[in-house]
Amino acid sequence: PDANLSSIMLSLPGIGMGGSQEAHNRFAAVVEVVGRYLCLFRGDGSFGLVHFHPAYDRSTVHPIQKPAYGHLPPTTWLRPMLKMAGQGDKAGELSDDDLALSDYQRRAPHTAINILRMSQVNAAAGPKSIVDLDLGDGTTEKASGITLYTRNTLRMAKMGKDALQSALDADIAMQN
């Protein structure tokens, strides 16, 4: 029952270990297979996935400009999401580097997959979470979690790269 178990953290330290691009590519390949199998066996109606890696970089997860199961929205969607959430001023002020700091919300000391009951995914995304997102280039995509991703993007940008990297480095150091 939901009351007894809402999520499981699957720790995978041997998959894509380290912060190199090769390690991240290995991680991305493995979690893509996990996500595809979950969907193939229709588990995506019961569970959601959230992927973590020490060098998480959404701009290299395929498909790059489309949603990828268990991953952050494409980086290019963040400005339109900010605008939709009423943060148009921030959407104009933040640099591309500031927006890229959003990746830190998925960086962790080692590879992990958070497996969530769908009730938890829905609670995090908020009511009526699937919306039509105008990407500003004449295309509209279905998107969810606008409020959550907007809040986290602004929080990461406010903290700054040095503080975020320092916190990640401290977490990694605890693993050794």
Side-chain angles (χ1 to χ4, degrees), residues 24 27 51 53-58 61 71-72 103 106-107:
H24 186 269
F27 147 78
H51 303 302
H53 187 269
Y56 188 92
D57 181 358
R58 179 56 179 95
V61 171
H71 290 282
L72 292 172
D103 286 341
R106 295 296 179 85
R107 291 189 181 168

Side-chain angles (χ1 to χ4, degrees), residues 48 70 81-82 90 96-97 102 106 115 120 123 137 143 146 163-164 166 176:
M81 288 177 139
L82 287 164
K90 294 290 185 186
D96 289 345
D97 288 340
S102 184
R106 295 296 179 85
I115 304 168
Q120 296 297 313
D137 62 0
I146 304 291
L164 292 166
S166 178
N176 298 331

Side-chain angles (χ1 to χ4, degrees), residues 82-162:
L82 287 164
K83 289 176 185 174
M84 179 172 258
Q87 297 289 336
D89 56 330
K90 294 290 185 186
E93 292 171 14
L94 295 175
S95 69
D96 289 345
D97 288 340
D98 291 332
L99 295 177
L101 294 176
S102 184
D103 286 341
Y104 276 91
Q105 62 189 298
R106 295 296 179 85
R107 291 189 181 168
H110 57 265
T111 303
I113 302 174
N114 191 4
I115 304 168
L116 299 149
R117 286 191 182 271
M118 196 49 67
S119 61
Q120 296 297 313
V121 173
N122 293 338
K128 300 178 188 173
S129 73
I130 298 177
V131 298
D132 290 324
L133 179 66
D134 179 356
L135 298 180
D137 62 0
T139 60
T140 301
E141 293 280 354
K142 296 289 184 193
S144 66
I146 304 291
T147 302
L148 174 71
Y149 292 126
T150 295
R151 183 179 65 236
N152 289 345
T153 297
L154 293 174
R155 185 177 293 146
M156 299 297 121
K158 183 178 179 180
M159 290 179 71
K161 184 174 183 167
D162 291 340

